[in-house]
Amino acid sequence: MFKRLGAELFGTFWLVFGGCGSAILAAAYPELGIGFAGVALAFGLTVLTMAYAVGHISGGHFNPAVTLGLWAGGRFKCGEVIPYIIAQVIGGLLAGAALYLIASGKAGFDATASGFASNGYGDHSPDHYSLQAVVIAELILTAFFLLIIMGVTDKAAAAGFAPLAIGLALTLIHLISVPVSNTSVNPARSTGVALFQGTWAIEQLWVFWLVPLAGGVIGGLIYRLFFSKAQ
């Protein structure tokens, strides 16, 4: 269990450090910025690489919504949900701290003013989408993320390709929703940077816990009820 929790911590650290780091440090770099598409690809690559690296140890969740969704889908033990989520949140916070230390090395950096890659709605949505729009997007995208994860990790699925499919799915999710909410679908990712933004990101953080967790459960239940071969 210690190794599994360590794998979840390091995997979530890499997801937040790589994904949010690309947004904070490289997205708007003068003339050579990677933009939304680059950030989306970065998030997908973090999951893909760590799923191959440590997925065989912990299952490669790196996301409380995935852990809860897999439990709802009958793929994960109830008693291990909380320890996994704690490890994931710690990994996200450590990544946020590392990014803060790096970004603070640039003159004029202000995590509060920049948003620090935090998720938000209303005035704090990248394109000023409403709370309702953000809730719908995060719910649907997280549910489909779980459907994809459960499908590609099913015993009947082609072996060895699950991390690739999951990484590409997360890339697509970001391509869709970065303008809407800056894309969460992962409470640990949201928490890891919100605490360093320090103001509105903390006030709006409840949305990026409640909605992805609900979406994860919905996706897990849908797969379990309608697509699992055991049914």
Side-chain angles (χ1 to χ4, degrees), residues 180-231:
V180 180
S181 63
N182 223 15
T183 310
S184 173
V185 302
N186 184 339
R189 169 261 187 269
S190 299
T191 304
V193 291
L195 295 190
F196 293 92
Q197 195 282 330
T199 56
W200 59 261
I202 297 175
E203 295 171 3
Q204 297 190 353
L205 185 59
W206 66 272
V207 176
F208 303 103
W209 271 90
L210 180 63
V211 179
L213 289 178
V217 169
I218 291 169
L221 288 174
I222 290 174
Y223 192 89
R224 184 177 187 176
L225 293 172
F226 298 106
F227 303 118
S228 174
K229 289 188 69 175
Q231 302 302 319

Side-chain angles (χ1 to χ4, degrees), residues 26-84:
Y29 187 78
E31 298 181 6
L32 297 175
I34 61 174
F36 283 168
V39 172
L41 181 60
F43 271 100
L45 289 173
T46 61
V47 170
L48 188 157
T49 51
M50 289 308 290
Y52 275 120
V54 300
H56 60 285
I57 298 172
S58 67
H61 299 189
F62 318 140
N63 181 341
V66 171
T67 298
L68 196 64
L70 290 174
W71 165 76
R75 298 272 190 90
F76 198 66
K77 296 178 182 178
C78 180
E80 297 180 354
V81 169
I82 298 301
Y84 261 53

Side-chain angles (χ1 to χ4, degrees), residues 82-169:
I82 298 301
Y84 261 53
I85 290 176
I86 291 172
Q88 292 156 0
V89 171
I90 292 172
L93 289 171
L94 289 174
L99 287 171
Y100 184 84
L101 290 173
I102 294 169
S104 298
K106 181 178 180 179
F109 171 75
D110 185 342
T112 300
S114 69
F116 204 59
S118 297
N119 303 115
Y121 58 85
D123 289 339
H124 304 296
S125 156
D127 208 19
H128 303 287
Y129 281 83
S130 67
L131 173 60
Q132 177 180 311
V134 167
V135 168
I136 293 170
E138 291 283 332
L139 193 71
I140 291 172
L141 291 170
T142 313
F144 270 88
F145 193 36
L146 261 294
L147 279 172
I148 292 165
I149 290 171
M150 293 194 68
V152 300
T153 57
D154 196 289
K155 291 181 179 179
F161 291 98
L164 180 61
I166 294 167
L168 289 173

